[in-house]
Amino acid sequence: MGSGSWSAASWGSYAASRVHGRGRAAIFAARGMDARFDPKTIVKRESCDSVDNPEATPVIIGVDVTGSMGSLAEELIVRGLNTTFTELLARRPVSDPHVMAMAIGDAFCDTAPLQVTEFEADIRIAEQLTGLWLEGGGGGNHGESYSLAHAFAGLKTVHDAATKRGKKGFLFTVGDEPILDGVTRDQMREVLGIDVEADLSARDCVDIASRSYEVFHIIVDGSYAAHDLRGVRRTWDPILPQRVIHLKDPSKLSETIVSAIELCVGRDRDSVMKSWDRSTALVVADAVSGLTMPKRGGGLRRLFA
Amino acid sequence: MPSTSGEAILSIKPVQARHLFPGDANAVARRFRELALAWHPDRNGSPEATRVFAHITTLHAATKKPVIEERIFETIKGRQYRLRWRRRHVGPLGEILVGDSFIAHIVPADLDDLSLRAAAFRPRFADDVMRREMARFLPRGETVLETTEGWVFIERKQGDQVLLADLARLAPLDPRQAAWMATRFVNLACWLQWSGIAHGAIGPETLLVSPDQHSVSLTGPFLCAGSFGSAPSVLPERTLDVAPGYAATGTRLDERLDPELVRLTLRELLGDPAGTRLAADPDFPKPFASWLLTPAPCAQADFAAWERAREASFGRRRFVPWKVDIAAMMAA
């Protein structure tokens, strides 16, 4: 998958008929998981080079869809997807973006704790995104199964950026809750259709994803994080040091994602911030202030001892 | 002697030039004349003649490269130390010079504190049986020099041993060859776990391999190593790339790290550092791919998991010979 390319005209036409002026329930009309997006039955998701996209770069955006977090998926379809594609294509921090969307829930209590689209480079990603089921579940177990997104990305996606060019893709998970500590062996089999010998910790899952993706997490100020941000960070910071972003205004989600990618490929922080309008720059600069990108090219990194 | 069809010649890499040009200098010259006459575009009407002729010339040139260079180190006490080497690498721990009978790791002066600690490192063994068993997996006859360029760790090396980084140029390796290496690497990781230390830098620049004997040994100072439960002071970017959590404040070294580096090294040798392409390849043994992708809780548990994966992938253990032209590899 991943042929074609994003066009403002296609987006305008699609949004006029399917998105703008509609409520969340009308945009996301699914009332159950579409079999196309069931990670258990998906053998592999591929991001392949093509004539339209000769050097494809996979970008995965996985949003929490539990409880009130359905607003993230809405933000992504109403504004975020178009901004993400438009800015990535204009700024070109990476070549030929292929975007996959994920809906993330809670493997302990949801019917569909993970749903994944194909990697797409054109309007088909919008069509698939609106086909995701906003289950709105989650439980009172102080966390969501973001690790499913990491495990799926690391074990069930293949991309030419890695296999042909030795480059990583980008994986962003977005939500307001702590990360539950990993995925049990049973959940791996039941949700992802993968047999493993033992439970995987959240750190295991991040490590698995890190083999082929630059992994980030964006904490948005939903109800949980607003109430206990420190508790949320306590679960994320040890497994993703310097890769956790706290975004206070979720309407700047795409600008934050684009900026993080620009910083990750080595662009100057000040230049990236100045490229946005003033109000956006303020929000984004604050959000990515904790990101530290190590110098690439091997060598040793001094740590703390 | 390999086939002299155009396709066969074009498939030979410069590193393998000696396959096409075996023998001494006279034999190489004779062989070059034969092939040049056969493939010269003025004599050969094949549409690929120009390309094949150019490639023959490149391969011939590869056999003539100077094979030995010399470097003189001056110790801080003013003594000179001369090394005659064939291959040079720059790895995460510094520069590496590989000669016929030694391998030298040159650690830059700004890592003095780590060199000092590494020079003092002594491996532990439960008894003489373990010492004898494990000695072949560890650096041999180390000489340590404090020089004006930094610390130089020189080890003895047997002629049939090659730095894994050199062997990795043949990647992707045959899965059967990767499998015996996996067995050795896991053994090594088990001893590291028994010793209570994480090496932290297992990879192509810290392993010597004998394709002929199917043996491996660690090489280089234990610069990044630390006891389980201690905070890592330094780690290669390559390590943090696949295990980013070790850079987090408060994270301690543990039993998970070296098995993950063993897997990464094998995936690199198999030509797929991420590993997902191997998992999707119908010709690659599924249990092997699955093992490569799944993290291990520790090396000792991993030993049993690997044995099951190996048995399920390849059946009964048997020696699969692997002929690698070490001389040609060192000359290229």
Side-chain angles (χ1 to χ4, degrees), chain A residues 173-252:
Chain A
T173 50
V174 192
D176 74 331
E177 293 223 12
I179 181 170
L180 291 171
D181 189 16
V183 188
T184 66
R185 190 178 172 205
D186 289 345
Q187 288 166 349
M188 285 293 290
R189 189 174 48 246
E190 291 305 312
V191 181
L192 299 185
I194 297 173
D195 282 317
V196 289
E197 295 215 349
D199 298 348
L200 298 178
S201 68
R203 195 167 145 201
D204 286 334
C205 294
V206 164
D207 290 355
I208 288 170
S210 297
R211 294 170 190 161
S212 44
Y213 291 89
E214 302 286 357
V215 183
F216 297 85
H217 180 68
I218 301 177
I219 301 171
V220 291
D221 265 351
S223 57
Y224 197 109
H227 169 252
D228 184 15
L229 178 61
R230 190 176 294 182
V232 177
R233 291 206 74 126
R234 206 164 30 234
T235 65
W236 282 103
D237 286 334
I239 59 172
L240 269 180
Q242 289 100 45
R243 292 296 183 95
V244 180
I245 295 166
H246 177 207
L247 176 61
K248 291 172 184 156
D249 177 359
S251 73
K252 304 299 182 199

Side-chain angles (χ1 to χ4, degrees), chain B residues 7 20 73 75 142 154 194 211 221 226 257 278 284 316:
Chain B
E7 192 181 354
L20 192 64
F73 293 93
T75 69
E142 194 177 63
I154 306 165
W194 176 87
L257 180 56
L278 293 172
F284 192 85
R316 262 187 64 225

Side-chain angles (χ1 to χ4, degrees), chain B residues 164 167 172-187 209 214-216 262 265-267 269-270 278 284-285 287-289 291-292 302-303 305-320 322:
Chain B
L164 191 57
L167 206 56
L173 300 190
D174 181 309
R176 286 183 178 275
Q177 302 302 346
W180 68 255
M181 282 194 228
T183 303
R184 304 291 182 271
F185 295 168
V186 172
N187 272 327
V209 173
H214 286 198
S215 66
V216 307
V262 163
T265 304
L266 289 163
R267 293 194 302 264
L269 293 172
L270 290 161
L278 293 172
F284 192 85
F288 193 1
W291 179 81
L292 283 167
D302 201 25
F303 185 83
W306 164 244
E307 284 297 305
R308 283 195 297 276
R310 185 192 55 72
E311 178 89 25
S313 297
F314 303 106
R316 262 187 64 225
R317 192 192 292 254
R318 67 187 176 87
F319 189 89
V320 180
W322 189 15

Side-chain angles (χ1 to χ4, degrees), chain B residues 185-225:
Chain B
F185 295 168
V186 172
N187 272 327
L188 194 47
C190 283
W191 173 77
L192 287 162
Q193 183 186 343
W194 176 87
S195 300
I197 55 175
H199 183 279
I202 291 173
E205 286 90 10
T206 56
L207 287 161
L208 284 170
V209 173
S210 165
D212 193 36
Q213 302 291 321
H214 286 198
S215 66
V216 307
S217 67
L218 277 171
T219 180
F222 281 33
L223 283 189
C224 302

Side-chain angles (χ1 to χ4, degrees), chain A residues 228-301:
Chain A
D228 184 15
L229 178 61
R230 190 176 294 182
V232 177
R233 291 206 74 126
R234 206 164 30 234
T235 65
W236 282 103
D237 286 334
I239 59 172
L240 269 180
Q242 289 100 45
R243 292 296 183 95
V244 180
I245 295 166
H246 177 207
L247 176 61
K248 291 172 184 156
D249 177 359
S251 73
K252 304 299 182 199
L253 178 61
S254 353
E255 290 86 345
T256 304
I257 287 172
V258 171
S259 298
I261 293 174
E262 288 190 278
L263 294 178
C264 195
V265 300
R267 292 200 175 161
D268 174 66
R269 187 178 291 262
D270 285 347
S271 309
V272 171
M273 295 313 139
K274 281 178 187 161
S275 67
W276 301 110
D277 66 68
R278 187 172 160 72
S279 61
T280 303
L282 282 172
V283 174
V284 174
D286 178 53
V288 300
S289 60
L291 296 188
T292 307
M293 301 302 170
K295 284 181 186 156
R296 300 290 170 200
L300 292 177
R301 196 189 314 176

Side-chain angles (χ1 to χ4, degrees), chain A:
Chain A
M1 288 297 183
S3 58
S5 54
W6 189 260
S7 90
S10 306
W11 165 250
S13 163
Y14 180 83
S17 63
R18 300 282 305 275
V19 178
H20 292 153
R22 290 167 171 243
R24 190 189 307 168
I27 297 172
F28 295 95
R31 296 298 173 258
M33 176 163 61
D34 187 322
R36 289 179 299 161
F37 307 136
D38 183 352
K40 184 175 184 176
T41 58
I42 295 166
V43 177
K44 278 277 178 274
R45 284 293 198 232
E46 293 180 284
S47 161
C48 301
D49 297 344
S50 64
V51 174
D52 295 328
N53 298 286
E55 292 199 353
T57 305
V59 177
I60 301 176
I61 305 173
V63 292
D64 181 348
V65 294
T66 62
S68 63
M69 284 290 104
S71 61
L72 286 173
E74 189 179 356
E75 162 59 27
L76 206 54
I77 191 65
V78 171
R79 217 185 57 85
L81 205 52
N82 186 42
T83 306
T84 303
F85 264 115
T86 305
E87 295 296 340
L88 284 178
L89 292 172
R91 294 160 182 255
R92 292 195 62 79
V94 292
S95 53
D96 306 326
H98 277 178
V99 173
M100 164 190 278
M102 289 181 173
I104 301 167
D106 184 332
F108 286 94
C109 50
D110 288 354
T111 307
L114 186 72
Q115 301 165 73
V116 292
T117 69
E118 299 275 1
F119 283 108
E120 299 290 6
D122 60 15
I123 198 65
R124 281 172 288 185
I125 186 65
E127 291 160 358
Q128 291 177 42
L129 177 57
T130 52
L132 296 176
W133 175 35
L134 305 191
E135 186 175 359
N141 51 351
H142 303 290
E144 307 300 358
S145 297
Y146 302 101
S147 296
L148 287 172
H150 298 141
F152 184 89
L155 299 174
K156 282 201 162 185
T157 71
V158 184
H159 58 80
D160 283 349
T163 55
K164 291 186 178 172
R165 293 178 290 285
K167 288 186 170 180
K168 290 187 176 187
F170 293 85
L171 166 58
F172 293 86
T173 50
V174 192
D176 74 331
E177 293 223 12
I179 181 170
L180 291 171
D181 189 16
V183 188
T184 66
R185 190 178 172 205
D186 289 345
Q187 288 166 349
M188 285 293 290
R189 189 174 48 246
E190 291 305 312
V191 181
L192 299 185
I194 297 173
D195 282 317
V196 289
E197 295 215 349
D199 298 348
L200 298 178
S201 68
R203 195 167 145 201
D204 286 334
C205 294
V206 164
D207 290 355
I208 288 170
S210 297
R211 294 170 190 161
S212 44
Y213 291 89
E214 302 286 357
V215 183
F216 297 85
H217 180 68
I218 301 177
I219 301 171
V220 291
D221 265 351
S223 57
Y224 197 109
H227 169 252
D228 184 15
L229 178 61
R230 190 176 294 182
V232 177
R233 291 206 74 126
R234 206 164 30 234
T235 65
W236 282 103
D237 286 334
I239 59 172
L240 269 180
Q242 289 100 45
R243 292 296 183 95
V244 180
I245 295 166
H246 177 207
L247 176 61
K248 291 172 184 156
D249 177 359
S251 73
K252 304 299 182 199
L253 178 61
S254 353
E255 290 86 345
T256 304
I257 287 172
V258 171
S259 298
I261 293 174
E262 288 190 278
L263 294 178
C264 195
V265 300
R267 292 200 175 161
D268 174 66
R269 187 178 291 262
D270 285 347
S271 309
V272 171
M273 295 313 139
K274 281 178 187 161
S275 67
W276 301 110
D277 66 68
R278 187 172 160 72
S279 61
T280 303
L282 282 172
V283 174
V284 174
D286 178 53
V288 300
S289 60
L291 296 188
T292 307
M293 301 302 170
K295 284 181 186 156
R296 300 290 170 200
L300 292 177
R301 196 189 314 176
R302 289 269 187 183
L303 299 165
F304 341 91

Side-chain angles (χ1 to χ4, degrees), chain B residues 141-179:
Chain B
E142 194 177 63
T143 302
V144 183
L145 306 174
E146 193 177 359
T147 76
T148 51
E149 296 182 48
W151 289 65
V152 182
F153 296 78
I154 306 165
E155 301 160 17
R156 283 205 312 271
K157 178 184 89 63
Q158 289 168 355
D160 62 341
Q161 287 183 307
V162 60
L163 189 67
L164 191 57
D166 280 321
L167 206 56
R169 289 183 293 149
L170 303 180
L173 300 190
D174 181 309
R176 286 183 178 275
Q177 302 302 346

